[in-house]
Amino acid sequence: IFLYGSSGYFKEQYVWLKDCLVENKDYQVAGIIDDLAKTSIDNFSGLKIFKSEKIKFSQDIYIYLATGRVDVRKKAIDHFKDFNFFTLKHPSAIVSSEATFGKGVTISPNVIIAGNPVIGDFNNFNFGSMMSHDCVSGISNIFSPGVKIMGKCKIGNYNYFGVDSVMIPSTQIGDHNIIGANATIVKNFESGLTLVGTPAKSKDSSL
């Protein structure tokens, strides 16, 4: 497994990945991929840092997205599109057996996935977030700590949910939205918006 990214968020992901591999001996951490790193060794983990072009395709290599930035994650996904992506499910998370997941998903400590949600590729659930029954989440959405997605919500692609933000039941949002910390979505929104407040309103228009 190569972790993509070596920022502060990597430090959390690396520790959680090690937690998962305690009981799963089929995988080993091989190093870090970071095209902007100025050193060849990561001080925190002691892992060697590689540039993307140095990683050659193999069925035995898995990429794990250890960055919380939507744009950087998309860059990694595009570059390594033919590779396997590792899905992390932390032992402390509560995950319904009826939930459906794509590849490259992160389920961090104390996450709750309840009922029967359909969760696409590369979604990232940070610690303490939750998603309830009958939800649908597209690809590469990021759910910060404490986010609550209630029943029957529909979420597009490449959305960023700030800390403790909420979607009430049966609401929908499109793609490429930023939902501010503590915002509460109580109605449907389209794409490309920054949503703040309770009830959430768009900073970009009068919606």
Side-chain angles (χ1 to χ4, degrees):
I1 301 172
F2 285 90
L3 294 95
Y4 191 97
S6 62
S7 65
Y9 188 61
F10 155 82
K11 294 177 181 179
E12 299 175 1
Q13 297 297 313
Y14 175 61
V15 173
W16 297 340
L17 179 59
K18 289 199 299 180
D19 291 344
C20 292
L21 297 184
V22 168
E23 297 182 358
N24 189 342
K25 305 300 183 182
D26 294 334
Y27 301 92
Q28 294 181 339
V29 178
I32 299 168
I33 302 168
D34 192 332
D35 295 329
L36 299 179
K38 293 179 170 46
T39 62
S40 60
I41 300 293
D42 176 64
N43 289 333
F44 175 74
S45 64
L47 294 172
K48 187 174 181 179
I49 301 175
F50 298 84
K51 303 300 183 184
S52 295
E53 65 268 16
K54 297 294 184 181
I55 309 301
K56 305 304 180 184
F57 176 78
S58 169
Q59 288 289 352
D60 296 327
I61 292 177
Y62 283 75
I63 306 297
Y64 178 66
L65 298 174
T67 174
R69 285 182 51 181
V70 174
D71 58 335
V72 177
R73 290 168 68 86
K74 188 176 187 306
K75 179 182 176 182
I77 293 163
D78 291 344
H79 183 89
F80 293 102
K81 61 182 183 296
D82 296 325
F83 282 67
N84 295 308
F85 282 83
F86 186 79
T87 290
L88 182 150
K89 295 182 182 179
H90 194 270
S92 68
I94 300 173
V95 180
S96 169
S97 61
E98 298 300 320
T100 302
F101 298 94
K103 63 184 177 181
V105 174
T106 296
I107 310 226
S108 304
N110 301 315
V111 167
I112 299 175
I113 305 294
N116 59 336
V118 177
I119 297 167
D121 297 341
F122 311 120
N123 279 265
N124 185 317
F125 293 86
N126 213 321
F127 57 87
S129 57
M130 66 87 66
M131 179 172 284
S132 194
H133 64 91
D134 295 297
C135 290
V136 177
S137 180
I139 63 170
S140 207
N141 296 298
I142 294 181
F143 304 93
S144 295
V147 170
K148 295 177 176 61
I149 310 298
M150 308 312 292
K152 298 183 178 181
C153 289
K154 292 186 179 180
I155 300 167
N157 308 308
Y158 300 107
N159 295 288
Y160 180 88
F161 288 81
V163 173
D164 289 330
S165 54
V166 177
M167 288 184 74
I168 70 165
S170 301
T171 51
Q172 302 181 28
I173 62 169
D175 306 327
H176 297 283
N177 294 294
I178 298 173
I179 297 89
N182 295 300
T184 302
I185 295 176
V186 301
K187 65 178 184 178
N188 298 345
F189 288 96
E190 296 184 354
S191 299
L193 303 173
T194 298
L195 305 174
V196 297
T198 299
K201 295 182 179 180
S202 173
K203 289 180 64 177
D204 310 286
S205 71
S206 59
L207 291 175

